[in-house]
Amino acid sequence: MTLRPVPAHWFELVTTREELASVLDALARTGAVQLETFSRSAEALFPEGVRDELSAYNDLAKDYRTYWPEPEQMAPARMPEPDKVVAEGVKTLKAWAEEADPTIADLEELNNRKRELKRLHGLLAGAEEPLPDLSRLGTTGPELSARVYLLPANMQALSVPERVLHKRIETESGEYLLAMGRDADMRSLDDQLRAQKARPVPIPDDLPSSVSEAAEAIKDRLAQLDKQINETQHKLDSLSTEYDLASVIGRIELISWMVSHAEEVSASADLAWVTGWTTAEDRASFCEPLTEKGLRCLVDFPEPPSKAEAPTLLRNPPWARAFETITQLLGSPGRDEADPSILLAIFAPVMFGYMFGDVGHGAVLLIAGLILRRKMPVFTLLVPGGIMAMVFGVLYGDVFTRKDIIEPLWLHPLEAPIEILIGAIVIGVVVLVTGLFLNAAQAHWRGAARTWWLRECGLLVAYGALLVAIFWQPALWVALFGVIWFVLGEAILEPSAPISATLRGMGSLLESGLQLIVNTVSFARVGAFALAHAGLSVAVAQVAAAAGGIGFWIVLFIGNVIIILLEGLIVSIQTTRLLLFEFFVRFLKGEGRMFTPLTPPQTNTNTDGGTR
């Protein structure tokens, strides 16, 4: 645990071309390596023909990916001559495609028929009103024609020709349109429905006239279709096994992944150099995942190339990692900048809870954070925010806007608004002084301690003395001493032009001092929002009491929902704004590089919406 980001280590690894695929895969799966090259004369890692073959593979994938199996092996122990591997793989895939095309066509036809019958079954089984004899619709002609459509959910108004008989029927599976008319009129209706992506529902000629019998007949046909689809799919799977498609695709996908990182790897006739940054602390921890897979690991941790900027890592305890999201809003901290995530884990919940103090509201946010954080990690921030809202709710005596459930341990905000505003400014002073001390630490890290002691330290002394002078006026003399300290320090830092440096120091001090004062007063908004929250809670409680009876609970529920959603969002924005523009501005520039680990190759070749 440290307030200072940790720079990654530069590494240089030598491996054979044959083992390169497995080495890169093993390193990617550690999440501890970021590839980066430096100038080295070397051959191209892959011949130009590989990219052409991969292009042919991608063309095949566009048409057949849905019907391919999952790759069985993404990182073979050895990968000799990858250009030949891809060429042979593409040849195998083309041979498979030629033999599989008739089976795929049969499978698509069966699935199309199944979809059509399912739409028809949805109409027959789900209609809540009597249906006409659909068997007659399927035998109209030659002057008349009939249609059945499943309408889209966002269907717009239709301009149905006057001579077309039509009826719209609601079912659980959607809304259907039955229409009958002359061919010319029906073609006009077809164009409108096609433009709105309505789905036609063909009517079989041999459909029974009874609706219940027709539904049962369609159900039997669907069962037969499922059996045919399974048989056809099994035939396609057997063909894939015969051509060993899973292994072929796995090898090609791995080489495609390697080619995408080819610019980050250098090579000679027999060897490959893998270079970049790692979070591993030593050779032993770096090589462990390679040696476990029987791979050789010849690695060195030399000094980084000149002008190379090491990416930084944020090393925070688990309870503070969610707040790294706020830290990185301004950019990644550099190696000589502070990582304030641990401090944010204290400041942000306290400020949020101060403005949103209510035991019930905090409990809702706590539960929401615990439930939603698995889907979206950013919602983890609701957990500490909710806890502190509950803590301040106990201090304020608020539970779901009601003040008659518990007694406040401190005060009711509306009964002591001055104390609430003063407390908010005290929080702001602590935050700002912390920022000034972090600026001092950064100055020492980058070797500028003398500059800080001669100049910025005077500003810190003057600011602290002004705050003390509110209660003890003689502290103003200390504030004056801090002003002189800052101005003289500016002159000492520039002995060649002391007068201009002094004038510049006075201007800089005036600007920085006013900014600090404005930042301090800005934190009064924390108290203002606490008062606004309390006022809105009182309003909801009073309206609920006036409603009486069941209306009391309805108004109380709706009012609390509005407060949680609306004020919760506003308070979150205000907390983030104060941290970004009042706290971060004191020390953080976000000039570092974020560590971006090499990601392993993906293993899923199937896409959603396919038949498998």
Side-chain angles (χ1 to χ4, degrees), residues 10-14 274 276 283 286 297-303:
W10 178 261
F11 75 91
E12 296 182 10
L13 179 142
V14 181
V274 182
R283 293 183 181 87
F286 182 93
C297 183
L298 301 175
V299 68
D300 190 20
F301 283 28
E303 288 295 317

Side-chain angles (χ1 to χ4, degrees), residues 186-222:
M186 292 302 296
R187 282 195 293 271
S188 173
L189 182 61
D190 286 341
D191 293 339
Q192 293 185 59
L193 291 169
R194 196 177 299 112
Q196 297 200 44
K197 298 183 179 179
R199 299 176 179 178
V201 182
I203 306 297
D205 295 339
D206 57 347
L207 193 68
S209 58
S210 167
V211 172
S212 58
E213 292 178 2
E216 193 63 30
I218 296 299
K219 187 176 179 180
D220 292 340
R221 293 184 191 184
L222 284 171

Side-chain angles (χ1 to χ4, degrees), residues 268-331:
S268 67
D270 300 309
L271 301 176
W273 288 267
V274 182
T275 59
W277 306 95
T278 180
T279 60
E281 295 294 333
D282 50 41
R283 293 183 181 87
S285 57
F286 182 93
C287 288
E288 183 178 356
L290 299 180
T291 54
E292 285 179 354
K293 296 187 176 183
L295 301 169
R296 289 166 289 188
C297 183
L298 301 175
V299 68
D300 190 20
F301 283 28
E303 288 295 317
S306 60
K307 299 182 180 181
E309 180 185 0
T312 53
L313 304 153
L314 306 184
R315 296 283 175 85
N316 292 298
W319 53 269
R321 286 174 190 159
F323 292 89
E324 292 176 0
T325 304
I326 301 177
T327 298
Q328 293 171 343
L329 289 175
L330 205 63

Side-chain angles (χ1 to χ4, degrees), residues 168-238:
R168 295 174 79 147
I169 299 175
E170 292 281 353
T171 70
E172 293 182 359
S173 57
E175 184 180 15
Y176 289 79
L177 175 68
L178 278 62
M180 178 182 290
R182 298 179 63 180
D183 285 345
D185 295 325
M186 292 302 296
R187 282 195 293 271
S188 173
L189 182 61
D190 286 341
D191 293 339
Q192 293 185 59
L193 291 169
R194 196 177 299 112
Q196 297 200 44
K197 298 183 179 179
R199 299 176 179 178
V201 182
I203 306 297
D205 295 339
D206 57 347
L207 193 68
S209 58
S210 167
V211 172
S212 58
E213 292 178 2
E216 193 63 30
I218 296 299
K219 187 176 179 180
D220 292 340
R221 293 184 191 184
L222 284 171
Q224 294 174 8
L225 275 176
D226 283 334
K227 182 179 179 181
Q228 291 177 278
I229 288 172
N230 289 334
E231 292 173 351
T232 308
Q233 185 65 63
H234 179 71
K235 182 179 179 182
L236 191 62
D237 290 342
S238 299

